[in-house]
Amino acid sequence: MATTTNGINGHHPNGVHTAASSKDFSSFKVNQSRLMDHIHDGCQFGAAWKYGDDPTETGMARLALNDADKAVRQWFTTKAESMGCTVTVDEMGNQFAVRQGKNASAPPVMMGSHLDADSNAPQTQPTGGRYDGILGVNAGLEVLRVLEDNKYVSEGNIGVVNWTNEEGARFPMMAVSSGVWAGAVSLEKAWNLAEVSAGEDGNKKTMKQELERIGYLGPVKCDHSENPFAAHFELHIEQGPILEAEKRRVGVVKGVQAFKWFEIEVSGRDTHAGTTPFYARKDSMLCAAKMIVESNRIAKAAGGLATTGILTQEPGSINTMAHTVHFTLDIRHVEDAVLETIRKECETAFAKIAKDDSEAGCKVEWKELVDSPAVKFHEDCIKAVEEAAEEVCSDLPKTATDGGSLWKHMISGAGHDSCYTNRRCPTSMIFAVTKDGISHNPVEYCSPEDCAVGTQVLLGAVLRFDKRRKF
Amino acid sequence: MATTTNGINGHHPNGVHTAASSKDFSSFKVNQSRLMDHIHDGCQFGAAWKYGDDPTETGMARLALNDADKAVRQWFTTKAESMGCTVTVDEMGNQFAVRQGKNASAPPVMMGSHLDADSNAPQTQPTGGRYDGILGVNAGLEVLRVLEDNKYVSEGNIGVVNWTNEEGARFPMMAVSSGVWAGAVSLEKAWNLAEVSAGEDGNKKTMKQELERIGYLGPVKCDHSENPFAAHFELHIEQGPILEAEKRRVGVVKGVQAFKWFEIEVSGRDTHAGTTPFYARKDSMLCAAKMIVESNRIAKAAGGLATTGILTQEPGSINTMAHTVHFTLDIRHVEDAVLETIRKECETAFAKIAKDDSEAGCKVEWKELVDSPAVKFHEDCIKAVEEAAEEVCSDLPKTATDGGSLWKHMISGAGHDSCYTNRRCPTSMIFAVTKDGISHNPVEYCSPEDCAVGTQVLLGAVLRFDKRRKF
């Protein structure tokens, strides 16, 4: 529509921005009701699992690259283009909506998260909520709207990215598309990922097939060097109970804890529950139960976490011992070195349980499924978030149970796209309060006030980072 | 063919028996190779799960009332009739092969077990061996053969019974047909039992449908008062490791331990494994693991047994706590009162674990699935088995690790048809050595020597009991 001396190109519908370019952004306010309207408007695509009377009281079943995901992608493009953004799509279907600033040729500062919404584990019935991922993308769009409202011209380009298949529920690799962008996952491997459950035609389709089917196999290389960012900021629900319990409002996320996933196999013998005295038993279930209890004790003592979410047995009969039990072990710690200590202590403890503490003895074998080292976010990004959080929180009621600050340094317990972007550009995250710590569930909830507070911090952080950029 | 002064009726093919009626049966010897030939001949029907090169090195997949079971039933009838037995079939398909003695109108002494051969738990792939049940029926037939060889005329009738669906693998109720005979299970309920897995036509057939299909819905009432026994003796593999470990040869079974089956439900909350600190967790898997460990400790301290063979969880995701875990608990003890104490102690312990020892707390609920009180077999039957065992063992090498007797008083850990017959007639059981204590498995094994020793004890016990009968 118009060009400006600041390099805003012809795609921008709202004309010349110079009037706002010198504005102090400290007066910019996120529009809470507009933000929520957009969140729920986008959730019309894939809404499922109604749990209350209000139309917004549903969860989401929006698996990556399904028809609902296709629809919300078009919705995202329309919303972004209506603000004059340029929207591009890369080979993994990642969508990049960029609003130009003065130095239009430099890499943009991106606000990213994901619009696929479901549990990040393969399930018969994938269930997700309206905030995990969705809040982050919508917060980014709201920030751009506030810039538009104020005709603000940023130093560099600022944009929003919607990463494909972050959850990994349909195509079983978490954050696979930011992984390809960061060079951590090969394009070939990602494209060939087959969906977990076959579709109605009985075939398991690959990511590439589904990207083509919904028209989102884009022309842009999925590569950080060909499509670089100046920075990546992600607002996300905490997915834990800490902020709520301490009555704080914002998490300033300094990194992501290290985690490892294992599958443990315990082999015993399938003898009869009534005829086999204890001394002759190789009870793999009892052995596994002792290991689970012990892994919890070890992790707790080390200040880490341990969780067993899946346990299966064969043959699975009430009055026959299982000859084989498999269970998963998810261990986490902020420090890689301590995580390794937890793993080693579990290994020693499990071997001892199998040998000495399970009657006639069982065998135990470990298989590593995932090794995700600790992530330390970028100091500049963390600082920008801290300053923004401090400013936003200074206007809020002092609710913290300890009387202290309303924002808190945190370490993310879960993985996010930001773990991958952090490898290639300055990155950090902001956490918003999560009701009861529940995510990956239809009742997942972040109040409108907390959605707005998080978005306001995102705005402040991004504009601070932008102001300090050197070109 | 001929009648005798002793009341042998016309069905007897071998003519007059008076010549043998006064014989001392202490010289009667079971024919080991003939016994084994018949065992393996009958196992041609339903042989499966080959594990070695020898043709007899397979397990069995002979689910009750399937075509293989139909075939072995005809085989049983042919073998019994060839010895002059009268074979009748009752409403549950139970087969009764009776060889007449002097007092032909009095109830017979029966030797019973079952020819269905598979695991006694519903499984995708039911696996059984060649001895559980099969040995007992074949031992009975071999005893009758020895009586024929010796033209022996017993005081009363002596026979063999093949009980239908003892395992409960296809129609999910163990020993259902002896249960109907004993009046413990209604005929209606038994007939209406639906098979666990649907057949090729997609329908789950009932026991009555399958009895009709294979032609074994017989005319005799399935009722202990209309079809009474003088006694019931059952030779069975031990299904445990005790005789083998102590290098003894025979178990004189005085009863069956009490057992109860429960399904325990532990409810927690499905929160994220990385974002939920321990204090906020309601980890139903950890809670269940602690309960399994504790039930083992309690049962061990009380001299009983506790086993968890099945554990399932929802949703079943590596990095999400299970919101619900179900696990089975099988507890056993020789005494009903002690079993009840074990149950109560588990109940108290589980409640404490759920409330105090699982962070933010879980809920626990119990559902009783089976309550099988302790069984005490009949003194007269036990005495007859003891005497026979003493006689048989006196001729065997003294192998017992403690230098003591080769036979041992035992309590059965598993349920058998004899538990039901014991309610209606004097009953006891004999145990034969089981290799590695393994049953319900293709490699289940009892050596030819031990099959013969057990059969010899059965013969001695039955003829002793018969001799002492009052008419």
Side-chain angles (χ1 to χ4, degrees):
Chain A
M1 304 277 281
T3 55
T4 74
T5 52
N6 297 317
I8 299 290
N9 73 11
H11 293 295
H12 201 289
N14 296 342
V16 178
H17 276 180
T18 39
S21 64
S22 57
K23 255 195 188 173
D24 176 5
F25 57 78
S26 67
S27 63
F28 292 3
K29 286 286 170 236
V30 160
N31 183 331
Q32 180 180 310
S33 64
R34 181 174 63 182
L35 169 66
M36 298 317 294
D37 287 349
H38 277 81
I39 286 177
H40 295 308
D41 186 48
C43 284
Q44 71 186 280
F45 308 109
W49 322 115
K50 188 168 174 60
Y51 65 86
D53 291 337
D54 193 274
T56 68
E57 291 178 330
T58 81
M60 296 296 293
R62 192 158 67 203
L63 285 156
L65 311 184
N66 72 3
D67 290 343
D69 190 33
K70 176 183 178 178
V72 79
R73 285 164 175 273
Q74 185 53 49
W75 175 93
F76 172 87
T77 300
T78 303
K79 297 294 175 194
E81 287 182 346
S82 74
M83 289 184 283
C85 292
T86 304
V87 181
T88 56
V89 179
D90 75 8
E91 298 158 313
M92 287 301 296
N94 298 317
Q95 294 179 284
F96 307 86
V98 177
R99 180 178 184 274
Q100 287 202 349
K102 284 183 216 166
N103 299 282
S105 61
V109 171
M110 297 299 282
M111 300 173 282
S113 203
H114 57 95
L115 289 174
D116 66 321
D118 39 57
S119 170
N120 65 351
Q123 297 182 355
T124 320
Q125 301 283 27
T127 56
R130 292 178 164 238
Y131 302 90
D132 180 340
I134 294 171
L135 171 60
V137 173
N138 274 283
L141 291 173
E142 174 61 21
V143 168
L144 297 188
R145 259 178 233 115
V146 175
L147 301 190
E148 282 297 297
D149 293 345
N150 290 279
K151 299 187 165 51
Y152 186 76
V153 182
S154 51
E155 300 302 315
N157 297 344
I158 296 177
V160 182
V161 49
N162 169 32
W163 296 106
T164 300
N165 192 59
E166 191 270 352
E167 295 287 4
R170 184 174 183 198
F171 301 100
M173 190 180 292
M174 270 184 66
V176 58
S177 304
S178 51
V180 173
W181 178 86
V185 178
S186 78
L187 179 65
E188 196 69 13
K189 183 172 182 178
W191 268 354
N192 288 328
L193 273 180
E195 60 186 339
V196 169
S197 306
E200 286 178 10
D201 63 0
N203 294 323
K204 290 191 179 183
K205 287 169 280 296
T206 63
M207 281 200 86
K208 189 177 184 189
Q209 286 173 325
E210 284 294 274
L211 283 165
E212 282 170 341
R213 183 184 70 82
I214 68 165
Y216 276 86
L217 201 159
V220 177
K221 287 286 270 184
C222 183
D223 186 325
H224 63 93
S225 55
E226 303 217 12
N227 184 23
F229 299 170
H232 184 264
F233 289 88
E234 182 170 8
L235 169 64
H236 202 280
I237 56 170
E238 178 197 339
Q239 301 181 270
I242 298 170
L243 291 174
E244 186 180 51
E246 300 179 3
K247 295 193 189 299
R248 300 189 215 273
R249 305 297 294 275
V250 178
V252 175
V253 188
K254 297 184 74 173
V256 181
Q257 65 186 345
F259 66 94
K260 286 173 187 268
W261 290 357
F262 300 96
E263 182 178 283
I264 315 289
E265 179 180 281
V266 186
S267 311
R269 205 170 55 184
D270 53 337
T271 49
H272 192 286
T275 60
T276 315
F278 281 130
Y279 72 78
R281 291 185 175 210
K282 299 182 177 198
D283 186 344
S284 58
M285 181 73 82
L286 176 63
C287 203
K290 288 181 177 179
M291 291 171 180
I292 291 167
V293 174
E294 189 62 8
S295 65
N296 176 264
R297 193 196 60 72
I298 290 168
K300 201 174 283 181
L305 295 170
T307 307
T308 292
I310 305 175
L311 184 149
T312 60
Q313 66 279 306
E314 289 173 59
S317 153
I318 295 180
N319 64 345
T320 307
M321 260 147 277
H323 59 70
T324 312
V325 166
H326 288 97
F327 68 90
T328 58
L329 180 66
D330 170 316
I331 54 174
R332 298 182 189 237
H333 196 278
V334 174
E335 298 294 334
D336 291 325
V338 182
L339 187 68
E340 179 57 14
T341 303
I342 292 173
R343 187 197 64 75
K344 276 191 188 154
E345 286 186 19
C346 285
E347 197 171 57
T348 305
F350 289 9
K352 186 171 159 36
I353 288 167
K355 183 169 174 289
D356 303 331
D357 195 21
S358 61
E359 316 298 355
C362 288
K363 279 187 190 167
V364 58
E365 283 187 30
W366 289 61
K367 183 175 158 192
E368 186 175 289
L369 303 177
V370 170
D371 177 11
S372 180
V375 173
K376 312 275 183 194
F377 287 144
H378 196 279
E379 283 305 321
D380 294 350
C381 293
I382 296 169
K383 186 157 181 286
V385 173
E386 276 175 11
E387 291 171 10
E390 183 63 34
E391 182 178 82
V392 171
C393 289
S394 68
D395 290 338
L396 298 173
K398 302 289 168 253
T399 52
T401 51
D402 65 358
S405 173
L406 291 182
W407 64 265
K408 178 188 174 90
H409 280 137
M410 298 184 80
I411 297 293
S412 172
H416 297 284
D417 290 307
S418 289
C419 298
Y420 281 129
T421 62
N422 190 61
R423 298 187 184 193
R424 302 301 177 180
C425 70
T427 293
S428 76
M429 295 183 70
I430 302 154
F431 275 170
V433 178
T434 309
K435 185 165 185 289
D436 296 331
I438 294 174
S439 65
H440 295 161
N441 190 296
V443 302
E444 172 185 292
Y445 186 74
C446 179
S447 73
E449 294 73 19
D450 282 314
C451 287
V453 164
T455 305
Q456 190 71 43
V457 174
L458 178 67
L459 181 149
V462 166
L463 295 187
R464 275 172 176 81
F465 190 94
D466 172 70
K467 271 285 183 208
R468 293 166 188 164
R469 287 185 68 180
K470 304 270 185 291
F471 296 91
Chain B
M1 304 278 281
T3 55
T4 74
T5 52
N6 297 317
I8 299 288
N9 75 9
H11 293 297
H12 200 288
N14 297 343
V16 177
H17 275 183
T18 40
S21 64
S22 58
K23 258 195 187 171
D24 176 5
F25 56 77
S26 67
S27 65
F28 292 3
K29 286 286 171 238
V30 160
N31 183 331
Q32 179 180 310
S33 64
R34 181 173 63 183
L35 170 66
M36 299 316 296
D37 287 349
H38 277 82
I39 286 176
H40 295 309
D41 185 49
C43 283
Q44 70 186 280
F45 309 108
W49 321 115
K50 190 168 174 57
Y51 66 85
D53 291 336
D54 193 273
T56 68
E57 290 178 332
T58 81
M60 296 296 293
R62 193 158 67 202
L63 286 156
L65 310 183
N66 72 3
D67 290 342
D69 190 33
K70 176 184 179 178
V72 80
R73 286 163 174 274
Q74 185 52 49
W75 175 93
F76 173 86
T77 300
T78 303
K79 296 295 175 193
E81 286 182 346
S82 74
M83 290 185 281
C85 292
T86 303
V87 180
T88 57
V89 178
D90 74 8
E91 298 159 313
M92 287 302 295
N94 298 317
Q95 294 179 284
F96 307 87
V98 177
R99 180 178 185 272
Q100 286 203 346
K102 286 182 214 165
N103 298 282
S105 61
V109 171
M110 296 300 281
M111 299 173 282
S113 204
H114 57 94
L115 289 174
D116 66 321
D118 39 56
S119 170
N120 65 351
Q123 297 182 353
T124 320
Q125 301 283 25
T127 56
R130 293 178 162 238
Y131 303 90
D132 181 341
I134 294 171
L135 172 60
V137 173
N138 274 283
L141 292 173
E142 174 60 20
V143 168
L144 298 187
R145 261 179 231 114
V146 175
L147 301 189
E148 282 298 297
D149 293 344
N150 290 279
K151 300 187 165 50
Y152 186 77
V153 182
S154 52
E155 300 302 314
N157 297 343
I158 295 177
V160 182
V161 50
N162 169 32
W163 297 106
T164 299
N165 191 60
E166 191 270 350
E167 296 286 5
R170 183 174 183 196
F171 302 100
M173 190 179 292
M174 270 184 66
V176 58
S177 305
S178 51
V180 173
W181 178 86
V185 179
S186 79
L187 179 65
E188 197 69 12
K189 183 172 182 178
W191 269 354
N192 288 329
L193 274 179
E195 60 186 339
V196 169
S197 304
E200 286 177 10
D201 63 0
N203 294 323
K204 289 191 179 184
K205 287 168 279 298
T206 64
M207 281 200 87
K208 189 176 184 192
Q209 286 173 324
E210 284 295 274
L211 283 166
E212 283 171 339
R213 182 185 70 83
I214 68 165
Y216 276 85
L217 200 161
V220 176
K221 287 286 271 185
C222 184
D223 186 325
H224 63 94
S225 55
E226 302 217 14
N227 184 23
F229 299 170
H232 184 265
F233 288 89
E234 183 170 7
L235 169 64
H236 202 280
I237 55 170
E238 180 198 338
Q239 302 181 268
I242 298 171
L243 291 173
E244 186 180 52
E246 300 179 2
K247 295 194 190 297
R248 300 188 216 272
R249 306 297 294 275
V250 178
V252 175
V253 188
K254 298 183 75 173
V256 181
Q257 66 185 346
F259 66 93
K260 287 172 187 268
W261 289 358
F262 300 95
E263 183 177 284
I264 315 290
E265 180 180 282
V266 186
S267 312
R269 204 170 55 183
D270 54 336
T271 48
H272 192 284
T275 59
T276 316
F278 281 130
Y279 72 79
R281 292 185 175 210
K282 300 184 176 197
D283 185 344
S284 59
M285 181 73 82
L286 175 64
C287 202
K290 288 181 177 179
M291 291 171 181
I292 291 167
V293 174
E294 188 62 7
S295 67
N296 176 264
R297 192 197 60 74
I298 290 168
K300 201 174 283 182
L305 294 170
T307 307
T308 292
I310 305 174
L311 184 149
T312 60
Q313 65 278 307
E314 290 172 57
S317 154
I318 295 180
N319 64 344
T320 307
M321 260 146 277
H323 59 70
T324 312
V325 166
H326 289 95
F327 68 91
T328 60
L329 180 65
D330 169 318
I331 54 173
R332 300 183 186 235
H333 196 277
V334 174
E335 299 294 334
D336 290 326
V338 182
L339 187 68
E340 178 57 13
T341 304
I342 292 172
R343 186 197 63 76
K344 276 189 187 155
E345 286 186 20
C346 285
E347 198 171 59
T348 305
F350 289 10
K352 187 171 157 39
I353 288 167
K355 183 168 173 290
D356 302 330
D357 195 21
S358 61
E359 315 299 355
C362 288
K363 280 189 190 168
V364 57
E365 284 189 30
W366 289 61
K367 183 174 158 193
E368 185 176 290
L369 303 177
V370 170
D371 177 12
S372 179
V375 173
K376 312 275 184 194
F377 287 143
H378 196 281
E379 283 304 320
D380 295 350
C381 293
I382 295 169
K383 187 159 180 286
V385 173
E386 277 175 12
E387 292 171 9
E390 183 64 34
E391 183 179 82
V392 171
C393 289
S394 67
D395 290 338
L396 298 172
K398 302 289 168 254
T399 49
T401 50
D402 65 358
S405 173
L406 291 181
W407 64 265
K408 178 189 176 89
H409 280 137
M410 297 183 80
I411 297 292
S412 172
H416 296 284
D417 290 308
S418 289
C419 299
Y420 280 129
T421 63
N422 189 60
R423 298 186 183 195
R424 300 302 177 181
C425 69
T427 293
S428 76
M429 294 183 72
I430 302 154
F431 275 170
V433 179
T434 309
K435 183 162 186 293
D436 296 331
I438 295 173
S439 64
H440 295 161
N441 190 295
V443 301
E444 172 184 291
Y445 186 73
C446 179
S447 73
E449 294 74 19
D450 282 314
C451 287
V453 163
T455 305
Q456 191 71 43
V457 174
L458 178 67
L459 181 150
V462 165
L463 294 188
R464 275 172 176 81
F465 189 93
D466 173 68
K467 269 289 183 205
R468 292 164 189 166
R469 288 184 69 180
K470 304 272 186 287
F471 294 93

